[in-house]
Amino acid sequence: TATSCQECNVGSYCLLGAAVAVPCYAGTFTNATNLTSAAECTQCPAGSSCVTGSIAPAECRPGTYAAIEGLGRCDACPGGSFQSASGATACDTCTAGSYCPLGSSTALPCDSGSFSSATWLEAQSECNTTEPGYFSSKGSIVPTPCSPGTFAATTGSGACDACPAGSFQGAATATSCQECNVGSYCLLGA
């Protein structure tokens, strides 16, 4: 026994003679009242998403994107890419010396002792392990040869070791040091 009709809710539309408000469908929104059809709901802009009944678009968070308008959810950046900004319409290619798992908001550097000049890596396991005689600091694109007076005996070195006192190494990319010659002395790192 109503004597008047209620105003249609924000985020919804009301058909002629409606008993209930119908929420705007996913991918659309409205902050207006008294809409009379779904066609009056506004499409969600690219770079944002709108769940069913939205009154405003929600910007895609870092690590996600919405390439086109009218989406009900933002997609995670694929493995090998990242997005650090909010409201993105695309993801950036992962950088050399880094890897980017699914949904990355930043490129993660290859660990110390590994490197990569490739882009689109998805996991640390795809970074190359540094060979003996070389080292790679965190985020390296290429391995660096050990300098004379230093060595790296094993794979995966993050730094070269100085030749101990009583030994020396005159060559680069060494995997060991030589004993000091008879009649000579060798300081640390000789």
Side-chain angles (χ1 to χ4, degrees), residues 45-49 58-67 74 83-90:
S48 63
S49 65
E59 275 192 338
C60 294
R61 68 184 191 289
T64 67
Y65 72 105
C74 298
Q83 181 49 256
S84 57
S86 296
T89 58

Side-chain angles (χ1 to χ4, degrees), residues 135-179:
F135 76 96
S136 299
S137 57
K138 191 171 195 154
S140 290
I141 296 172
V142 295
T144 303
C146 291
S147 301
T150 66
F151 71 102
T154 62
T155 60
S157 293
C160 297
D161 296 315
C163 288
S167 67
F168 75 100
Q169 182 50 257
T173 70
T175 59
S176 64
C177 297
Q178 301 171 355
E179 270 189 38

Side-chain angles (χ1 to χ4, degrees), residues 97 99 109-115 124 127-130 134-140 155-160:
Y99 63 98
C110 290
D111 287 342
S112 179
S114 65
F115 67 96
Q124 168 62 42
C127 297
N128 302 308
T129 302
T130 305
Y134 294 83
F135 76 96
S136 299
S137 57
K138 191 171 195 154
S140 290
T155 60
S157 293
C160 297

Side-chain angles (χ1 to χ4, degrees), residues 18-143:
V20 294
V22 179
C24 288
Y25 54 88
T28 64
F29 73 99
T30 186
N31 58 7
T33 57
N34 295 328
L35 300 186
T36 59
S37 74
E40 292 179 279
C41 297
T42 305
Q43 279 214 332
C44 201
S48 63
S49 65
C50 300
V51 297
T52 300
S54 290
I55 61 172
E59 275 192 338
C60 294
R61 68 184 191 289
T64 67
Y65 72 105
I68 60 173
E69 62 183 24
L71 296 180
R73 67 175 176 79
C74 298
D75 293 318
C77 287
S81 67
F82 73 101
Q83 181 49 256
S84 57
S86 296
T89 58
C91 297
D92 297 322
T93 302
C94 199
T95 56
S98 301
Y99 63 98
C100 300
L102 176 72
S104 290
S105 60
T106 187
L108 304 171
C110 290
D111 287 342
S112 179
S114 65
F115 67 96
S116 180
S117 59
T119 58
W120 290 101
L121 298 185
E122 297 181 33
Q124 168 62 42
S125 61
E126 295 177 287
C127 297
N128 302 308
T129 302
T130 305
E131 295 296 320
Y134 294 83
F135 76 96
S136 299
S137 57
K138 191 171 195 154
S140 290
I141 296 172
V142 295

